[in-house]
Every structure is written in C-alpha cells, then in structure tokens.
Amino acid sequence: MAGGPPKHRANELRSKNKADLLKSLEELKRELVDLRVHKVTNASAGKLSRISVVRKNIARILTIMNQKTRQAIREHYKNEKHKPLDLRPKRTRAIRRRLSQREQNAKTLKRHKKDIHFPRHRNFVLKAA
C-alpha cells in the first residue's frame, strides 16, 4: 500500500475532536472519488484494492462520530424523567407494555378498606381445655 494514509485505528480516532474527524473524513471521501476515477481509467490493481480500505476507514470515522454524539445525548438525558425512544432499553414489545410493579400492586379504595377491616388471615386463639 504505497499510496494514501494507512488504515485508521478506532482507539486513535476516539481521541480526536469532531473538527479533526470531519477533516479526515473529507480527505478520505476525496481519495475515494479519485480511486473511483482510476478504476474507470483502468488503473493498477494496487489502487483498486485501496478502495475497500478507504471505504472501511470512512465507515470507522462515521461510527466513531455517531458513538460520540449518542454518548453526549445519553449524558444530557441521564437524570431526565423521559428519554428519547432510541435511548430506552429495547427489551421485547410484551415486556415494554407490561404493567409496572407499582401498577400490579395497586388496589382500589374498596379493596383496601376490606383488607383493613376483614383481614384474609385471621388468627384465632384456641381455649385450652
């Protein structure tokens, strides 16, 4: 691989700020356009094999940018009552619609009064003979 920058490492990209990431993304996109032009003009095989490397580097940078954005959004909504849908736990549809523990244990006023005045488990003292 003689031409262009080497493969980008994800841990190195995470340390960069957004401006640097955008700059390297633009460079890679320009390089990809050039490589596609070389492909049409029957360039050497070395240039053609570079296309997949550049595409993966672009994907890495975009992934890191999305991760950073999502992390910032997560921090913003950390102590909020309501979160965006994509930040909530996925689980299954049935579990998401299930009653909460508090809703399951809720009693009507009538049931509450009955439980207080007429407990279900009455303790009787037997008279010893």
mmCIF file of all heavy atoms in Angstrom, residues 51-85:
data_model
loop_
_atom_site.group_PDB
_atom_site.id
_atom_site.type_symbol
_atom_site.label_atom_id
_atom_site.label_comp_id
_atom_site.label_asym_id
_atom_site.label_seq_id
_atom_site.Cartn_x
_atom_site.Cartn_y
_atom_site.Cartn_z
ATOM 1 N N ILE A 51 -9.568 0.827 -2.585
ATOM 2 C CA ILE A 51 -10.948 1.328 -2.463
ATOM 3 C C ILE A 51 -11.616 0.760 -1.213
ATOM 4 O O ILE A 51 -12.232 1.496 -0.437
ATOM 5 C CB ILE A 51 -11.771 0.990 -3.729
ATOM 6 C CG1 ILE A 51 -11.268 1.831 -4.900
ATOM 7 C CG2 ILE A 51 -13.252 1.245 -3.501
ATOM 8 C CD1 ILE A 51 -11.944 1.522 -6.217
ATOM 9 N N SER A 52 -11.490 -0.531 -0.998
ATOM 10 C CA SER A 52 -12.159 -1.141 0.161
ATOM 11 C C SER A 52 -11.574 -0.627 1.465
ATOM 12 O O SER A 52 -12.295 -0.413 2.449
ATOM 13 C CB SER A 52 -12.071 -2.658 0.092
ATOM 14 O OG SER A 52 -10.723 -3.066 0.152
ATOM 15 N N VAL A 53 -10.258 -0.387 1.508
ATOM 16 C CA VAL A 53 -9.615 0.134 2.718
ATOM 17 C C VAL A 53 -10.146 1.528 3.027
ATOM 18 O O VAL A 53 -10.478 1.841 4.176
ATOM 19 C CB VAL A 53 -8.076 0.164 2.537
ATOM 20 C CG1 VAL A 53 -7.407 0.835 3.727
ATOM 21 C CG2 VAL A 53 -7.541 -1.241 2.348
ATOM 22 N N VAL A 54 -10.256 2.367 1.997
ATOM 23 C CA VAL A 54 -10.736 3.740 2.195
ATOM 24 C C VAL A 54 -12.192 3.728 2.651
ATOM 25 O O VAL A 54 -12.579 4.472 3.562
ATOM 26 C CB VAL A 54 -10.556 4.565 0.900
ATOM 27 C CG1 VAL A 54 -11.229 5.913 1.023
ATOM 28 C CG2 VAL A 54 -9.089 4.750 0.591
ATOM 29 N N ARG A 55 -13.009 2.871 2.044
ATOM 30 C CA ARG A 55 -14.419 2.797 2.434
ATOM 31 C C ARG A 55 -14.559 2.382 3.894
ATOM 32 O O ARG A 55 -15.388 2.917 4.640
ATOM 33 C CB ARG A 55 -15.166 1.803 1.526
ATOM 34 C CG ARG A 55 -15.393 2.342 0.133
ATOM 35 C CD ARG A 55 -16.145 1.366 -0.732
ATOM 36 N NE ARG A 55 -17.476 1.156 -0.214
ATOM 37 C CZ ARG A 55 -18.112 -0.013 -0.226
ATOM 38 N NH1 ARG A 55 -17.546 -1.078 -0.729
ATOM 39 N NH2 ARG A 55 -19.323 -0.112 0.264
ATOM 40 N N LYS A 56 -13.732 1.430 4.325
ATOM 41 C CA LYS A 56 -13.804 0.990 5.718
ATOM 42 C C LYS A 56 -13.319 2.074 6.673
ATOM 43 O O LYS A 56 -13.846 2.216 7.779
ATOM 44 C CB LYS A 56 -13.012 -0.301 5.909
ATOM 45 C CG LYS A 56 -13.738 -1.488 5.294
ATOM 46 C CD LYS A 56 -12.979 -2.767 5.443
ATOM 47 C CE LYS A 56 -13.749 -3.885 4.785
ATOM 48 N NZ LYS A 56 -13.012 -5.158 4.802
ATOM 49 N N ASN A 57 -12.311 2.841 6.247
ATOM 50 C CA ASN A 57 -11.850 3.959 7.067
ATOM 51 C C ASN A 57 -12.947 5.003 7.232
ATOM 52 O O ASN A 57 -13.144 5.545 8.320
ATOM 53 C CB ASN A 57 -10.603 4.604 6.464
ATOM 54 C CG ASN A 57 -9.359 3.780 6.704
ATOM 55 O OD1 ASN A 57 -9.313 2.947 7.600
ATOM 56 N ND2 ASN A 57 -8.345 4.002 5.898
ATOM 57 N N ILE A 58 -13.670 5.279 6.138
ATOM 58 C CA ILE A 58 -14.796 6.219 6.197
ATOM 59 C C ILE A 58 -15.844 5.697 7.178
ATOM 60 O O ILE A 58 -16.356 6.442 8.019
ATOM 61 C CB ILE A 58 -15.395 6.442 4.796
ATOM 62 C CG1 ILE A 58 -14.418 7.231 3.926
ATOM 63 C CG2 ILE A 58 -16.740 7.167 4.885
ATOM 64 C CD1 ILE A 58 -14.835 7.345 2.476
ATOM 65 N N ALA A 59 -16.141 4.411 7.086
ATOM 66 C CA ALA A 59 -17.140 3.808 7.978
ATOM 67 C C ALA A 59 -16.690 3.908 9.429
ATOM 68 O O ALA A 59 -17.500 4.198 10.323
ATOM 69 C CB ALA A 59 -17.370 2.350 7.592
ATOM 70 N N ARG A 60 -15.383 3.695 9.679
ATOM 71 C CA ARG A 60 -14.863 3.800 11.047
ATOM 72 C C ARG A 60 -15.065 5.199 11.611
ATOM 73 O O ARG A 60 -15.511 5.371 12.738
ATOM 74 C CB ARG A 60 -13.367 3.479 11.061
ATOM 75 C CG ARG A 60 -13.064 2.052 11.397
ATOM 76 C CD ARG A 60 -11.581 1.811 11.557
ATOM 77 N NE ARG A 60 -11.329 0.429 11.182
ATOM 78 C CZ ARG A 60 -10.895 0.029 9.998
ATOM 79 N NH1 ARG A 60 -10.613 0.895 9.060
ATOM 80 N NH2 ARG A 60 -10.744 -1.245 9.742
ATOM 81 N N ILE A 61 -14.728 6.190 10.807
ATOM 82 C CA ILE A 61 -14.846 7.582 11.267
ATOM 83 C C ILE A 61 -16.307 7.924 11.545
ATOM 84 O O ILE A 61 -16.639 8.519 12.578
ATOM 85 C CB ILE A 61 -14.234 8.547 10.227
ATOM 86 C CG1 ILE A 61 -12.715 8.373 10.214
ATOM 87 C CG2 ILE A 61 -14.587 9.987 10.551
ATOM 88 C CD1 ILE A 61 -12.004 9.143 9.146
ATOM 89 N N LEU A 62 -17.208 7.521 10.645
ATOM 90 C CA LEU A 62 -18.631 7.805 10.853
ATOM 91 C C LEU A 62 -19.157 7.103 12.101
ATOM 92 O O LEU A 62 -19.962 7.660 12.849
ATOM 93 C CB LEU A 62 -19.438 7.393 9.620
ATOM 94 C CG LEU A 62 -19.225 8.262 8.381
ATOM 95 C CD1 LEU A 62 -19.940 7.654 7.185
ATOM 96 C CD2 LEU A 62 -19.709 9.674 8.623
ATOM 97 N N THR A 63 -18.695 5.884 12.321
ATOM 98 C CA THR A 63 -19.115 5.130 13.506
ATOM 99 C C THR A 63 -18.667 5.844 14.777
ATOM 100 O O THR A 63 -19.451 6.007 15.723
ATOM 101 C CB THR A 63 -18.527 3.708 13.475
ATOM 102 O OG1 THR A 63 -18.970 3.062 12.286
ATOM 103 C CG2 THR A 63 -18.965 2.910 14.683
ATOM 104 N N ILE A 64 -17.416 6.284 14.815
ATOM 105 C CA ILE A 64 -16.892 6.985 15.991
ATOM 106 C C ILE A 64 -17.675 8.274 16.223
ATOM 107 O O ILE A 64 -18.036 8.604 17.362
ATOM 108 C CB ILE A 64 -15.390 7.301 15.819
ATOM 109 C CG1 ILE A 64 -14.558 6.022 15.681
ATOM 110 C CG2 ILE A 64 -14.873 8.142 16.973
ATOM 111 C CD1 ILE A 64 -14.568 5.123 16.881
ATOM 112 N N MET A 65 -17.973 9.004 15.144
ATOM 113 C CA MET A 65 -18.727 10.251 15.280
ATOM 114 C C MET A 65 -20.115 9.985 15.847
ATOM 115 O O MET A 65 -20.585 10.695 16.733
ATOM 116 C CB MET A 65 -18.821 10.970 13.920
ATOM 117 C CG MET A 65 -17.510 11.603 13.508
ATOM 118 S SD MET A 65 -17.520 12.245 11.842
ATOM 119 C CE MET A 65 -18.751 13.515 11.949
ATOM 120 N N ASN A 66 -20.782 8.933 15.346
ATOM 121 C CA ASN A 66 -22.117 8.593 15.857
ATOM 122 C C ASN A 66 -22.050 8.158 17.318
ATOM 123 O O ASN A 66 -22.923 8.511 18.117
ATOM 124 C CB ASN A 66 -22.743 7.489 15.007
ATOM 125 C CG ASN A 66 -23.245 8.010 13.691
ATOM 126 O OD1 ASN A 66 -23.603 9.180 13.572
ATOM 127 N ND2 ASN A 66 -23.258 7.158 12.677
ATOM 128 N N GLN A 67 -21.028 7.395 17.681
ATOM 129 C CA GLN A 67 -20.879 6.962 19.073
ATOM 130 C C GLN A 67 -20.702 8.155 20.003
ATOM 131 O O GLN A 67 -21.302 8.211 21.080
ATOM 132 C CB GLN A 67 -19.682 6.016 19.210
ATOM 133 C CG GLN A 67 -19.926 4.630 18.683
ATOM 134 C CD GLN A 67 -18.684 3.763 18.733
ATOM 135 O OE1 GLN A 67 -17.572 4.246 18.962
ATOM 136 N NE2 GLN A 67 -18.871 2.478 18.507
ATOM 137 N N LYS A 68 -19.872 9.109 19.566
ATOM 138 C CA LYS A 68 -19.641 10.296 20.394
ATOM 139 C C LYS A 68 -20.928 11.106 20.551
ATOM 140 O O LYS A 68 -21.243 11.589 21.642
ATOM 141 C CB LYS A 68 -18.556 11.173 19.768
ATOM 142 C CG LYS A 68 -17.160 10.643 19.972
ATOM 143 C CD LYS A 68 -16.146 11.626 19.457
ATOM 144 C CE LYS A 68 -14.752 11.233 19.886
ATOM 145 N NZ LYS A 68 -13.773 12.273 19.602
ATOM 146 N N THR A 69 -21.682 11.246 19.462
ATOM 147 C CA THR A 69 -22.933 12.004 19.524
ATOM 148 C C THR A 69 -23.923 11.331 20.462
ATOM 149 O O THR A 69 -24.531 11.987 21.307
ATOM 150 C CB THR A 69 -23.566 12.108 18.123
ATOM 151 O OG1 THR A 69 -22.569 12.411 17.168
ATOM 152 C CG2 THR A 69 -24.626 13.178 18.078
ATOM 153 N N ARG A 70 -24.070 10.011 20.317
ATOM 154 C CA ARG A 70 -25.007 9.273 21.169
ATOM 155 C C ARG A 70 -24.591 9.338 22.640
ATOM 156 O O ARG A 70 -25.430 9.444 23.525
ATOM 157 C CB ARG A 70 -25.136 7.827 20.718
ATOM 158 C CG ARG A 70 -25.948 7.680 19.449
ATOM 159 C CD ARG A 70 -26.039 6.233 19.014
ATOM 160 N NE ARG A 70 -26.752 5.411 19.956
ATOM 161 C CZ ARG A 70 -28.067 5.267 20.014
ATOM 162 N NH1 ARG A 70 -28.826 5.919 19.181
ATOM 163 N NH2 ARG A 70 -28.627 4.483 20.905
ATOM 164 N N GLN A 71 -23.275 9.301 22.893
ATOM 165 C CA GLN A 71 -22.795 9.386 24.269
ATOM 166 C C GLN A 71 -23.119 10.748 24.869
ATOM 167 O O GLN A 71 -23.534 10.855 26.026
ATOM 168 C CB GLN A 71 -21.282 9.120 24.314
ATOM 169 C CG GLN A 71 -20.728 9.001 25.706
ATOM 170 C CD GLN A 71 -21.341 7.851 26.487
ATOM 171 O OE1 GLN A 71 -21.612 6.794 25.940
ATOM 172 N NE2 GLN A 71 -21.567 8.047 27.765
ATOM 173 N N ALA A 72 -22.971 11.796 24.064
ATOM 174 C CA ALA A 72 -23.292 13.140 24.545
ATOM 175 C C ALA A 72 -24.788 13.262 24.836
ATOM 176 O O ALA A 72 -25.188 13.853 25.850
ATOM 177 C CB ALA A 72 -22.873 14.173 23.503
ATOM 178 N N ILE A 73 -25.609 12.677 23.985
ATOM 179 C CA ILE A 73 -27.064 12.708 24.194
ATOM 180 C C ILE A 73 -27.427 11.916 25.450
ATOM 181 O O ILE A 73 -28.266 12.335 26.246
ATOM 182 C CB ILE A 73 -27.798 12.162 22.957
ATOM 183 C CG1 ILE A 73 -27.632 13.129 21.791
ATOM 184 C CG2 ILE A 73 -29.273 11.943 23.242
ATOM 185 C CD1 ILE A 73 -28.126 12.603 20.474
ATOM 186 N N ARG A 74 -26.757 10.760 25.638
ATOM 187 C CA ARG A 74 -27.001 9.956 26.838
ATOM 188 C C ARG A 74 -26.684 10.751 28.101
ATOM 189 O O ARG A 74 -27.435 10.704 29.076
ATOM 190 C CB ARG A 74 -26.127 8.701 26.802
ATOM 191 C CG ARG A 74 -26.908 7.473 26.530
ATOM 192 C CD ARG A 74 -26.128 6.213 26.749
ATOM 193 N NE ARG A 74 -26.653 5.242 25.825
ATOM 194 C CZ ARG A 74 -26.097 4.882 24.692
ATOM 195 N NH1 ARG A 74 -24.941 5.375 24.347
ATOM 196 N NH2 ARG A 74 -26.669 4.016 23.895
ATOM 197 N N GLU A 75 -25.555 11.465 28.085
ATOM 198 C CA GLU A 75 -25.170 12.281 29.239
ATOM 199 C C GLU A 75 -26.204 13.383 29.491
ATOM 200 O O GLU A 75 -26.528 13.678 30.636
ATOM 201 C CB GLU A 75 -23.790 12.912 29.015
ATOM 202 C CG GLU A 75 -22.643 11.926 29.080
ATOM 203 C CD GLU A 75 -22.494 11.269 30.437
ATOM 204 O OE1 GLU A 75 -22.641 11.971 31.456
ATOM 205 O OE2 GLU A 75 -22.236 10.048 30.476
ATOM 206 N N HIS A 76 -26.727 13.957 28.415
ATOM 207 C CA HIS A 76 -27.699 15.038 28.546
ATOM 208 C C HIS A 76 -28.986 14.544 29.197
ATOM 209 O O HIS A 76 -29.583 15.216 30.038
ATOM 210 C CB HIS A 76 -28.008 15.632 27.169
ATOM 211 C CG HIS A 76 -29.022 16.729 27.205
ATOM 212 N ND1 HIS A 76 -30.361 16.493 26.989
ATOM 213 C CD2 HIS A 76 -28.905 18.059 27.473
ATOM 214 C CE1 HIS A 76 -31.028 17.638 27.107
ATOM 215 N NE2 HIS A 76 -30.172 18.592 27.389
ATOM 216 N N TYR A 77 -29.438 13.355 28.811
ATOM 217 C CA TYR A 77 -30.706 12.814 29.320
ATOM 218 C C TYR A 77 -30.517 11.902 30.527
ATOM 219 O O TYR A 77 -31.454 11.214 30.932
ATOM 220 C CB TYR A 77 -31.423 12.031 28.217
ATOM 221 C CG TYR A 77 -32.072 12.908 27.192
ATOM 222 C CD1 TYR A 77 -31.467 13.123 25.960
ATOM 223 C CD2 TYR A 77 -33.272 13.540 27.453
ATOM 224 C CE1 TYR A 77 -32.065 13.941 25.012
ATOM 225 C CE2 TYR A 77 -33.872 14.354 26.529
ATOM 226 C CZ TYR A 77 -33.260 14.549 25.302
ATOM 227 O OH TYR A 77 -33.849 15.359 24.376
ATOM 228 N N LYS A 78 -29.328 11.906 31.129
ATOM 229 C CA LYS A 78 -29.006 10.975 32.207
ATOM 230 C C LYS A 78 -29.989 11.057 33.373
ATOM 231 O O LYS A 78 -30.506 10.054 33.842
ATOM 232 C CB LYS A 78 -27.587 11.254 32.698
ATOM 233 C CG LYS A 78 -27.044 10.232 33.644
ATOM 234 C CD LYS A 78 -25.603 10.545 33.963
ATOM 235 C CE LYS A 78 -24.995 9.474 34.832
ATOM 236 N NZ LYS A 78 -23.596 9.774 35.122
ATOM 237 N N ASN A 79 -30.288 12.272 33.843
ATOM 238 C CA ASN A 79 -31.155 12.431 35.016
ATOM 239 C C ASN A 79 -32.551 12.911 34.653
ATOM 240 O O ASN A 79 -33.303 13.330 35.526
ATOM 241 C CB ASN A 79 -30.507 13.402 36.009
ATOM 242 C CG ASN A 79 -29.201 12.855 36.534
ATOM 243 O OD1 ASN A 79 -29.083 11.661 36.763
ATOM 244 N ND2 ASN A 79 -28.208 13.714 36.683
ATOM 245 N N GLU A 80 -32.903 12.859 33.396
ATOM 246 C CA GLU A 80 -34.231 13.287 32.951
ATOM 247 C C GLU A 80 -35.239 12.172 33.193
ATOM 248 O O GLU A 80 -34.892 10.985 33.203
ATOM 249 C CB GLU A 80 -34.211 13.635 31.461
ATOM 250 C CG GLU A 80 -33.279 14.771 31.103
ATOM 251 C CD GLU A 80 -33.767 16.124 31.578
ATOM 252 O OE1 GLU A 80 -34.992 16.350 31.539
ATOM 253 O OE2 GLU A 80 -32.931 16.935 31.987
ATOM 254 N N LYS A 81 -36.497 12.554 33.340
ATOM 255 C CA LYS A 81 -37.545 11.559 33.560
ATOM 256 C C LYS A 81 -37.839 10.789 32.268
ATOM 257 O O LYS A 81 -37.952 9.575 32.265
ATOM 258 C CB LYS A 81 -38.814 12.246 34.062
ATOM 259 C CG LYS A 81 -39.927 11.277 34.367
ATOM 260 C CD LYS A 81 -41.140 11.956 34.938
ATOM 261 C CE LYS A 81 -42.224 10.942 35.253
ATOM 262 N NZ LYS A 81 -43.431 11.578 35.758
ATOM 263 N N HIS A 82 -37.979 11.519 31.168
ATOM 264 C CA HIS A 82 -38.292 10.885 29.884
ATOM 265 C C HIS A 82 -37.085 10.962 28.971
ATOM 266 O O HIS A 82 -36.457 12.002 28.839
ATOM 267 C CB HIS A 82 -39.480 11.583 29.222
ATOM 268 C CG HIS A 82 -40.724 11.522 30.050
ATOM 269 N ND1 HIS A 82 -41.395 10.353 30.309
ATOM 270 C CD2 HIS A 82 -41.414 12.480 30.715
ATOM 271 C CE1 HIS A 82 -42.445 10.589 31.072
ATOM 272 N NE2 HIS A 82 -42.476 11.887 31.349
ATOM 273 N N LYS A 83 -36.777 9.839 28.316
ATOM 274 C CA LYS A 83 -35.644 9.767 27.396
ATOM 275 C C LYS A 83 -36.163 9.535 25.984
ATOM 276 O O LYS A 83 -37.275 9.022 25.806
ATOM 277 C CB LYS A 83 -34.729 8.602 27.781
ATOM 278 C CG LYS A 83 -34.066 8.792 29.118
ATOM 279 C CD LYS A 83 -33.189 7.620 29.454
ATOM 280 C CE LYS A 83 -32.585 7.796 30.827
ATOM 281 N NZ LYS A 83 -31.822 6.669 31.266
ATOM 282 N N PRO A 84 -35.376 9.865 24.971
ATOM 283 C CA PRO A 84 -35.776 9.537 23.604
ATOM 284 C C PRO A 84 -35.920 8.020 23.451
ATOM 285 O O PRO A 84 -35.252 7.248 24.149
ATOM 286 C CB PRO A 84 -34.614 10.049 22.749
ATOM 287 C CG PRO A 84 -33.923 11.055 23.589
ATOM 288 C CD PRO A 84 -34.147 10.640 25.010
ATOM 289 N N LEU A 85 -36.765 7.599 22.534
ATOM 290 C CA LEU A 85 -37.068 6.172 22.386
ATOM 291 C C LEU A 85 -35.831 5.333 22.100
ATOM 292 O O LEU A 85 -35.708 4.214 22.587
ATOM 293 C CB LEU A 85 -38.086 5.972 21.263
ATOM 294 C CG LEU A 85 -39.499 6.484 21.545
ATOM 295 C CD1 LEU A 85 -40.381 6.307 20.326
ATOM 296 C CD2 LEU A 85 -40.108 5.777 22.725
#
